[in-house]
Amino acid sequence: EYLKLLLKIVLTISKHGNAVILGRGANFIIPKSERISVRIISPLKTRIKKVSDKYDVLNDEAMMRIKRTEANRHAFVKKYFYADISKPAHYDLILNSERLSIDTIVDTVKTALRAMNA
C-alpha cells in the first residue's frame, strides 16, 4: 500500500512539472526522459560537522545519525526499487557540496535542465 501511494504521489507531482522531489526513490519512479536526477555528496567529515553544528551534538552522535540515515535510505531504495543508490549510473549529475555552495549547485542544475530541454 505504501509503495502504491508513493508512486501515485510522485507521479502526480512530476506530471505538474517544475518540482523538486527530494529522495523517496523519485529517480526510480519518474521516467528518465521526464526528470533530471541529482545526487549531492560530501565527505563524511564535512557531514559530521554540519550535523553536529545543526543539532548541537557531539561528533560521535552526529556520525551515528548520519550512518543511520544512510542505512535507512539505502534499505528503502533496495527494498522498493531493487537498486543501490550509491551507483553513479542512477544520476545525471553528482555534485560535491563540500566545495560548491548551494547557489552554485542550484545554478548548475538549472544549466543542466536548460541543456536537456534545448
Side-chain angles (χ1 to χ4, degrees), residues 17-35:
N18 297 318
V20 174
I21 302 172
L22 180 63
R24 308 296 179 257
N27 57 322
F28 301 103
I29 298 170
I30 302 167
K32 199 170 198 163
S33 62
E34 298 175 20
R35 54 125 170 111

Side-chain angles (χ1 to χ4, degrees), residues 11-76:
L11 288 170
T12 299
I13 292 169
S14 75
K15 294 285 183 234
H16 286 81
N18 297 318
V20 174
I21 302 172
L22 180 63
R24 308 296 179 257
N27 57 322
F28 301 103
I29 298 170
I30 302 167
K32 199 170 198 163
S33 62
E34 298 175 20
R35 54 125 170 111
I36 183 170
S37 182
V38 179
R39 181 172 174 90
I40 300 173
I41 62 167
S42 68
L44 181 59
K45 182 173 123 180
T46 303
R47 291 181 285 149
I48 289 171
K49 171 117 175 71
K50 285 183 181 183
V51 170
S52 179
D53 291 348
K54 181 176 181 176
Y55 297 104
D56 193 29
V57 295
L58 298 174
N59 287 351
D60 288 345
E61 172 65 20
M63 186 181 324
M64 285 182 8
R65 288 179 181 210
I66 291 165
K67 295 290 185 183
R68 184 173 47 245
T69 299
E70 285 180 355
N72 289 339
R73 288 176 179 162
H74 277 88
F76 175 84

Side-chain angles (χ1 to χ4, degrees), residues 18-22 34-41 91-97 100-118:
N18 297 318
V20 174
I21 302 172
L22 180 63
E34 298 175 20
R35 54 125 170 111
I36 183 170
S37 182
V38 179
R39 181 172 174 90
I40 300 173
I41 62 167
Y91 305 95
D92 301 303
L93 286 173
I94 300 175
L95 302 168
N96 188 335
S97 66
L100 301 172
S101 70
I102 294 298
D103 289 338
T104 300
I105 289 171
V106 169
D107 289 343
T108 302
V109 173
K110 285 179 178 179
T111 300
L113 278 168
R114 282 192 296 274
M116 289 173 66
N117 293 323

